[in-house]
């Protein structure tokens, strides 16, 4: 039986609350970003009707179409996909948050292109704690230099770190990866960061136990995505 979006959202929020409790953390300390990539605008409208206000999108063109359709909704848009330097201008103009920044060149472009009338663009630096398993993300060794450079850019606000560790079913391995992200985060305390963007449908509990403040959830909310063409 397929459950309704309302049921899945309730179940997901219950999972997050349980994880917060297990971690000894305050209820409501973890924010839910609904990852709506590949979902039609109607799915976002339905989630919005259930109170969801923040959405994550990976593909710029697809996101632009939804943003235009949903311009009259009060949505916080998060860009969570891979960043290409020829696409930074619309991203800087259309999103409140960008999660996958791992190069200074991209950050400089986003800062230069953030329109003057908008508040600074919120940035999470993507850190790669899985070594060879992932091509994107800055290494923990190179992170301090990138963080210092991004923190100095005028139209960006450095908020924290984002990570997508190599998938594994082993909860201890999930936790070890998220712990490495948290340690990197703690090493940047001088910047007053407040956001640890980590945890997806399969590993949100481990992420919350290790300090995630924001989880990015697609499948557990909207159901399985169609395979990518
Ligand atoms: C697709 C995606 C998610 C959501 O993944 P699910 O497993 O569907 O919850 C989260 N973060 C990023 C960066 C993604 O690309």
């Amino acid at each position: 039986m397929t459950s309704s979006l309302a049921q899945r959202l309730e179940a997901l929020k219950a999972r997050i609350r349980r994880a917060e409790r297990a971690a000894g953390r305050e209820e409501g300390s973890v924010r839910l970003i609904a990852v709506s990539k590949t979902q039609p605008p109607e799915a976002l409208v339905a989630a919005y009707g259930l109170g969801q206000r923040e959405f994550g999108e990976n593909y710029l063109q697809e996101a632009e179409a939804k943003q235009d359709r949903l311009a009259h909704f009060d949505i916080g848009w998060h860009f969570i996909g891979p960043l290409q330097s020829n696409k930074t201008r619309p991203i800087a103009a259309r999103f409140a948050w960008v999660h996958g920044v791992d190069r200074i060149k991209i950050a400089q472009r986003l800062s230069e292109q953030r329109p003057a009338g908008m508040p600074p663009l919120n940035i999470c630096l993507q850190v790669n704690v899985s070594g060879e398993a992932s091509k994107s993300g800055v290494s923990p060794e190179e992170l301090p230099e990138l963080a210092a450079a991004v923190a100095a850019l005028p139209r960006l606000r450095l908020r924290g770190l984002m990570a997508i560790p190599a998938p594994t079913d082993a909860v201890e391995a999930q936790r070890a990866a998220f712990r490495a992200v948290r340690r990197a985060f703690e090493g940047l305390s001088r910047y007053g960061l407040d956001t640890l963007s980590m945890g997806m449908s399969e590993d949100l509990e481990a992420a919350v136990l290790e300090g995630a403040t924001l989880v990015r959830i697609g499948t557990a909310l909207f159901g399985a995505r169609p395979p990518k063409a």
Side-chain angles (χ1 to χ4, degrees), residues 186-197:
E186 287 166 353
L188 302 175
S189 59
R190 81 196 67 164
Y191 300 111
L193 308 181
D194 61 6
T195 303
L196 254 181
S197 167

Side-chain angles (χ1 to χ4, degrees), residues 88-208:
T88 50
R89 187 175 297 280
I91 290 172
R94 285 174 165 267
F95 287 82
W97 287 74
V98 178
H99 290 244
V101 174
D102 61 1
R103 279 171 290 159
I104 183 61
K105 184 179 161 216
I106 294 279
Q108 281 164 342
R109 291 178 67 94
L110 289 170
S111 182
E112 280 159 19
Q113 294 167 346
R114 180 67 165 174
M118 297 179 84
L121 182 59
N122 295 299
I123 299 292
C124 288
L125 302 177
Q126 186 175 353
V127 59
N128 178 0
V129 294
S130 304
E132 295 297 297
S134 166
K135 285 190 287 291
S136 42
V138 65
S139 70
E141 293 72 33
E142 290 166 319
L143 176 65
E145 191 184 335
L146 178 63
V150 171
L153 290 170
R155 302 290 297 134
L156 304 186
R157 181 167 168 216
L158 181 58
R159 297 293 296 265
L161 300 183
M162 177 269 211
I164 314 172
T168 164
D169 292 338
V171 174
E172 266 317 308
Q174 293 174 355
R175 289 192 61 172
F178 290 132
R179 202 173 305 134
V181 182
R182 192 190 60 209
R183 291 220 178 94
F185 177 83
E186 287 166 353
L188 302 175
S189 59
R190 81 196 67 164
Y191 300 111
L193 308 181
D194 61 6
T195 303
L196 254 181
S197 167
M198 57 189 196
M200 317 202 303
S201 293
E202 298 294 330
D203 57 13
L204 82 84
E205 283 82 4
V208 170

Side-chain angles (χ1 to χ4, degrees), residues 35 37 58-59 80-81 162 164 199-202 216-220 223 225:
V35 175
K37 62 182 175 203
N58 290 54
Y59 312 111
I80 64 172
M162 177 269 211
I164 314 172
M200 317 202 303
S201 293
E202 298 294 330
R216 308 175 312 268
I217 310 292
T219 311
R225 288 180 291 274

